[in-house]
Amino acid sequence: MIRPTVIAIPFFALFIAGEALWHWYKGGDEYKDRRDTWGNIFLGFGSVVFGAIFGLGTGLIYLFFYELAPYKFPADAWYTWALLFFADDFLYYVFHRVSHESRLFWNFHVVHHSSEEYNLSVAVRQSWFSGILHWIFYSPLMLLGFAPWMFGLMHGLNLIYQFWIHTKLIYKFPRWIEFVFNTPSHHRVHHGVNEPYLDKNYAGVLIIWDRMFGSFVEETETPRYGIIKPIKSYNPLWINTHGWFEMWEAMKQRKGVVNKLRCIFASPNMEF
């Protein structure tokens, strides 16, 4: 099955080009760092290639767990898709939150946050290697009885939704939309390195998970984008791997097995 995000690539390209032209016409500076923009696009294509490679393995893992499921949800029932939407979106919240709060998973996710810009091209700036471990979070869906192809379709649509929220062109929607859904305003907070914004707003589609679990923050000041320790590099390989080298250096400096393990699994911002 071709992933929905792959099918959507021409639309991503069209909207990125359209946003860039709009900012150019208005004299904005969102796309003035052309090396960053083209780097985002290159990283996006790389993530598609590596995603296909790792997808062969994760697909087999998902099939294995699906075969173990005592109940199989029918694909022709509306409630199946409603349940899958909420389950997938919740697990994305869990995955996303762990990706910020555990250094092991942050080493993959930091790729997406390492740009100091905020525009639609940043949406496609993705890790090449996250497929190694992200299946851990979504395998429970197969154990519950959702077929892997159903998950692939729903999860792909979830990711497509998240593309358009990487923009400054939209300020805020009516209050009820902002209360229920993830929006550009909420996601700008997520990408901000302002102290109140750090590790907040993990939502995929529904911001209600952040409201329920105490990780929601309203956009009240202009965000500064990037990561706490900027990498200042356009090298795609270094962008994908610098977190692992930093983790290794931290482990070498810590004494004792427990402290070394904390370098791997604890927060990337934790002081030892």
Side-chain angles (χ1 to χ4, degrees):
M1 174 184 174
I2 300 177
R3 291 181 295 168
T5 49
V6 175
I7 297 172
I9 287 175
F11 299 98
F12 292 165
L14 181 64
F15 280 105
I16 290 171
E19 186 187 49
L21 286 172
W22 178 260
H23 282 295
W24 174 79
Y25 175 73
K26 290 293 185 178
D29 60 357
E30 276 69 17
Y31 281 88
K32 284 191 175 179
D33 189 345
R34 295 183 180 180
R35 292 184 68 185
D36 183 81
T37 300
W38 286 111
N40 294 340
I41 293 169
F42 183 79
L43 286 164
F45 278 115
S47 72
V48 171
V49 173
F50 282 97
I53 295 171
F54 292 123
L56 298 174
T58 56
L60 293 175
I61 293 171
Y62 289 155
L63 283 171
F64 171 78
F65 284 113
Y66 182 63
E67 291 301 319
L68 295 178
Y71 174 78
K72 307 291 195 295
F73 279 95
D76 58 351
W78 68 268
Y79 61 83
T80 294
W81 296 98
L83 289 171
L84 180 56
F85 166 75
F86 285 103
D88 174 64
D89 199 51
F90 172 69
L91 287 178
Y92 177 83
Y93 171 84
V94 174
F95 157 73
H96 200 180
R97 184 162 186 167
V98 172
S99 294
H100 279 256
E101 298 182 357
S102 171
R103 191 169 200 160
L104 175 64
F105 295 97
W106 172 249
N107 289 344
F108 300 112
H109 190 55
V110 68
V111 175
H112 182 59
H113 282 266
S114 56
S115 172
E116 296 180 29
E117 307 297 322
Y118 193 78
N119 53 56
L120 290 177
S121 76
V122 175
V124 300
R125 183 187 180 103
Q126 300 292 334
S127 167
W128 290 353
F129 310 122
S130 62
I132 295 173
L133 290 179
H134 82 276
W135 59 269
I136 295 172
F137 297 91
Y138 297 108
S139 293
L141 289 175
M142 275 39 81
L143 278 174
L144 288 174
F146 296 104
W149 72 266
M150 295 164 63
F151 160 72
L153 176 59
M154 183 61 71
H155 191 65
L157 294 174
N158 189 299
L159 296 178
I160 289 173
Y161 175 92
Q162 295 180 51
F163 169 78
W164 71 275
I165 60 178
H166 291 80
T167 185
K168 297 179 182 178
L169 292 179
I170 300 171
Y171 179 55
K172 287 193 177 183
F173 286 100
R175 188 171 183 82
W176 72 268
I177 295 178
E178 296 285 336
F179 187 83
V180 176
F181 294 100
N182 197 11
T183 65
S185 176
H186 299 327
H187 205 60
R188 286 192 294 267
V189 167
H190 178 69
H191 276 260
V193 291
N194 316 43
E195 184 61 33
Y197 293 169
L198 287 175
D199 298 332
K200 301 296 181 182
N201 297 5
Y202 300 109
V205 175
L206 301 175
I207 200 67
I208 58 173
W209 308 121
D210 289 287
R211 296 183 185 277
M212 289 171 61
F213 297 108
S215 53
F216 175 75
V217 167
E218 193 83 32
E219 183 181 27
T220 56
E221 58 186 68
T222 302
R224 292 176 286 104
Y225 302 105
I227 53 179
I228 294 175
K229 183 181 177 182
I231 58 173
K232 300 298 182 183
S233 174
Y234 298 101
N235 184 314
L237 186 58
W238 181 243
I239 291 171
N240 271 281
T241 59
H242 73 95
W244 300 98
F245 285 96
E246 291 174 4
M247 184 181 76
W248 177 247
E249 288 300 318
M251 290 177 66
K252 289 195 296 184
Q253 295 172 18
R254 308 302 169 190
K255 297 185 182 299
V257 174
V258 172
N259 282 330
K260 291 183 184 298
L261 288 174
R262 291 176 71 194
C263 288
I264 300 174
F265 296 105
S267 167
N269 301 322
M270 181 173 288
E271 295 292 337
F272 298 91

